[in-house]
Amino acid sequence: MPVILPLNTMDLKTPVPIESLLEGCKRGDRKSQEGLYYQLSGRMMAVCMRYAKDRTEAEDMLQIGFVKVFQKIAEFRNEGSFEGWIRRIMVNSAIEIYRKNLRTLSVVDIDEVHDVVQSTFDMSGLEARDLMKLIQQLSSGYRMVFNMYVIEGYSHKEIAETLGISEGASKSQLSRARAILKEKILRMEGANYATNVG
Amino acid sequence: MSDKNLDQLFQQRFEDYQVEPSKSVWAKIDAQIHQPNRRHKRLSYFWSAAASLLIIIGAAWWFNQPVEIIKLQGKGKSETAENVDVTPEMNAPGRLLQEPVPATAPKSEKPAGLSDKAVLAFREIEEGNDQQVPAGNIKHLQEVEPVKNQAPQAIVAQPKIEEELPAVAIAQANPDEALADAAIAGNTEVSATSKRKAKGLGGLVNFVVAQVDHRENKIIEFKEGEEGTEIAEINLGLVKFKSRNR
């Protein structure tokens, strides 16, 4: 069941299709820009949360991502999904920030193993919020690859080019990420797992 | 759990997932898109100011160019004949001003330019300077002397100048001296005019520069010199120039 948290709808009481805000944004109309932000900030924040190591970093990514969207808005040529285009910019700027921080932080490539609290509800009860925690626990290299491949749908070739790693590294990092996540979910599920998942 | 199941689990759960960011984020975005980076803004402002400045400087130089001294004795006579008629009205009786000015001098800065050259040429001669006096100046000197020697009445007036001309008596003595007197007299007189004009252009430039360039040594600065508006100093970072007299 998807979790929808209330958004700040202060400026735009009723959701409108974001395509209708496109023209205003191209003109630099502040109301349109604000409207677009409030319509999409929830979803885009969720995207950034997957890529960031914590909430603060996620908000930085969100801010930079939206600034880029508004600066590049003229480049969007009404082909394809407007939200998809925005999402790609968001992911790209998240990756950029990740790579930038990579240079300043030393990345230790070990699994972060936490004691996962055993919960009694089954996997269908695993909310996005729980999965988000699991993803954020992954070390950053695994997290990037998992996000890009599984959620964003990049190919290993594209991941390799974007992150500056080899395709082989992308594949092995993906399989490692999957293994860790499975293990953690299993621990969370406890005994119920075997009966619910085929 | 298979890979496929895992993938699907994550995909499905995240499909419509939303997280509310802090309220401050929009304010930061708004600030960045509507007030671009200060450095960037200042930089583009600087360059447009610099461009305008160059245009103004160009105009200032263009209009302050010393004019080629033209009049020869031969031509001068017919024209000075006209001027002789005009001048007595303008000058105090009995006193004539010898001013190296071409008969057609519509603007006040032309006399300024000429007297600049006259003074310059005179100084160079007096100091026995080996510097090459511009050809125009030499020609001018040769013209003036014959004029003086031959016709005490050879006057070139400045009919367009509104101010009263401080006339100087032409001594029969040393031609150099007379030339000097004339030149200086003419110079001080027209300097007043040219200075007034200089305050307009140079002062304007200085004002514009002061708005943009807050350094001690500005990119370009004008001053009032003896010879009219001069560039006091230029500071382009790599290239710096300061006038001697500053």
Side-chain angles (χ1 to χ4, degrees):
Chain A
M1 211 157 34
V3 176
I4 299 180
L5 298 177
L7 292 178
N8 185 339
T9 52
M10 181 167 64
D11 289 12
L12 221 52
K13 298 280 192 263
T14 50
V16 298
I18 53 171
E19 285 74 15
S20 69
L21 298 170
L22 176 60
E23 277 311 304
C25 290
K26 283 194 176 187
R27 279 183 278 114
D29 172 49
R30 201 178 161 277
K31 267 288 180 208
S32 303
Q33 289 167 335
E34 197 171 2
L36 186 72
Y37 171 79
Y38 281 116
Q39 288 274 46
L40 290 180
S41 60
R43 300 167 80 87
M44 295 305 144
M45 182 62 179
V47 171
C48 295
M49 286 284 278
R50 281 191 280 113
Y51 285 89
K53 62 181 192 293
D54 53 39
R55 201 185 161 89
T56 307
E57 195 180 52
E59 285 188 350
D60 282 346
M61 290 176 175
L62 184 72
Q63 178 192 332
I64 290 169
F66 264 102
V67 168
K68 285 206 177 138
V69 165
F70 292 127
Q71 286 173 344
K72 291 177 168 220
I73 195 92
E75 294 171 23
F76 180 68
R77 274 182 297 267
N78 297 45
E79 315 164 333
S81 157
F82 186 29
E83 182 175 337
W85 180 79
I86 292 174
R87 187 180 256 248
R88 270 195 299 282
I89 292 179
M90 203 66 53
V91 169
N92 287 339
S93 64
I95 292 169
E96 213 177 287
I97 290 168
Y98 157 73
R99 297 197 73 186
K100 194 173 74 174
N101 290 343
L102 208 57
R103 284 193 283 272
T104 56
L105 298 172
S106 60
V107 176
V108 182
D109 217 3
I110 54 173
D111 304 338
E112 295 172 11
V113 179
H114 297 262
D115 279 337
V116 180
V117 175
Q118 288 242 0
S119 61
T120 52
F121 47 87
D122 61 354
M123 209 158 72
S124 61
L126 270 178
E127 303 289 356
R129 204 180 152 97
D130 305 308
L131 296 181
M132 182 64 86
K133 281 191 188 133
L134 295 184
I135 287 203
Q136 285 181 335
Q137 285 166 10
L138 285 174
S139 64
S140 49
Y142 300 151
R143 190 167 73 239
M144 286 297 130
V145 176
F146 185 83
N147 273 324
M148 290 170 80
Y149 188 89
V150 174
I151 317 288
E152 259 67 64
Y154 284 53
S155 69
H156 284 298
K157 184 167 185 285
E158 289 167 330
I159 293 171
E161 281 169 11
T162 309
L163 296 183
I165 60 176
S166 68
E167 274 192 58
S170 178
K171 287 175 184 168
S172 68
Q173 291 199 5
L174 175 66
S175 81
R176 194 77 192 106
R178 280 180 173 147
I180 294 166
L181 289 170
K182 281 182 199 173
E183 190 192 332
K184 290 189 174 179
I185 288 171
L186 287 174
R187 267 197 260 145
M188 278 176 86
E189 285 305 290
N192 290 335
Y193 169 68
T195 56
N196 289 326
V197 180
Chain B
M1 188 195 306
S2 67
D3 285 349
K4 192 175 167 204
N5 285 342
L6 180 76
D7 290 1
Q8 281 177 349
L9 171 65
F10 277 84
Q11 286 161 359
Q12 202 257 329
R13 292 290 189 265
F14 284 134
E15 194 177 334
D16 293 316
Y17 187 43
Q18 300 185 51
V19 175
E20 192 177 354
S22 310
K23 305 225 188 297
S24 60
V25 177
W26 168 246
K28 292 182 199 167
I29 294 169
D30 192 15
Q32 257 189 281
I33 54 180
H34 291 288
Q35 289 145 29
N37 193 336
R38 278 193 87 204
R39 196 181 306 152
H40 174 69
K41 188 188 183 190
R42 198 177 274 172
L43 192 64
S44 55
Y45 180 74
F46 175 77
W47 285 117
S48 41
S52 328
L53 187 61
L54 282 171
I55 293 169
I56 294 173
I57 293 171
W61 278 121
W62 179 261
F63 290 116
N64 272 336
Q65 276 299 329
V67 181
E68 185 74 21
I69 318 281
I70 309 167
K71 298 308 163 192
L72 289 176
Q73 170 60 24
K75 286 183 194 171
K77 262 204 170 155
S78 54
E79 276 149 346
T80 50
E82 294 170 27
N83 297 332
V84 168
D85 295 333
V86 179
T87 21
E89 298 158 17
M90 297 182 64
N91 292 319
R95 294 188 155 242
L96 302 168
L97 170 69
Q98 171 154 354
E99 177 68 19
V101 172
T104 55
K107 294 184 181 178
S108 53
E109 56 263 42
K110 277 189 182 172
L114 286 165
S115 48
D116 288 349
K117 276 205 170 175
V119 175
L120 183 68
F122 167 72
R123 281 185 188 158
E124 283 167 344
I125 289 166
E126 191 173 45
E127 293 162 15
N129 203 326
D130 287 339
Q131 275 178 11
Q132 227 179 356
V133 179
N137 283 339
I138 294 174
K139 188 172 152 196
H140 157 70
L141 284 171
Q142 291 160 356
E143 293 155 22
V144 171
E145 294 194 350
V147 167
K148 260 194 301 81
N149 292 336
Q150 292 176 32
Q153 290 153 353
I155 309 147
V156 186
Q158 305 169 30
K160 299 278 170 23
I161 296 180
E162 290 90 336
E163 299 83 22
E164 203 178 347
L165 304 176
V168 174
I170 297 176
Q172 293 132 359
N174 198 342
D176 284 337
E177 203 175 46
L179 174 61
D181 288 344
I184 290 168
N187 186 45
T188 36
E189 186 281 317
V190 294
S191 288
T193 320
S194 65
K195 268 182 184 170
R196 218 161 292 140
K197 252 202 128 54
K199 274 181 182 158
L201 286 162
L204 172 67
V205 172
N206 280 346
F207 176 76
V208 169
V209 170
Q211 302 306 309
V212 178
D213 192 341
H214 300 121
R215 301 175 293 183
E216 173 78 24
N217 301 323
K218 305 195 184 302
I219 192 164
I220 185 164
E221 195 168 315
F222 285 91
K223 70 170 171 73
E224 306 310 314
E226 301 164 311
E227 300 163 9
T229 308
E230 290 181 343
I231 290 186
E233 64 174 298
I234 294 175
N235 178 10
L236 296 172
L238 287 177
V239 175
K240 293 185 185 177
F241 162 76
K242 268 191 180 168
S243 166
R244 275 194 300 272
N245 300 323
R246 179 164 171 74

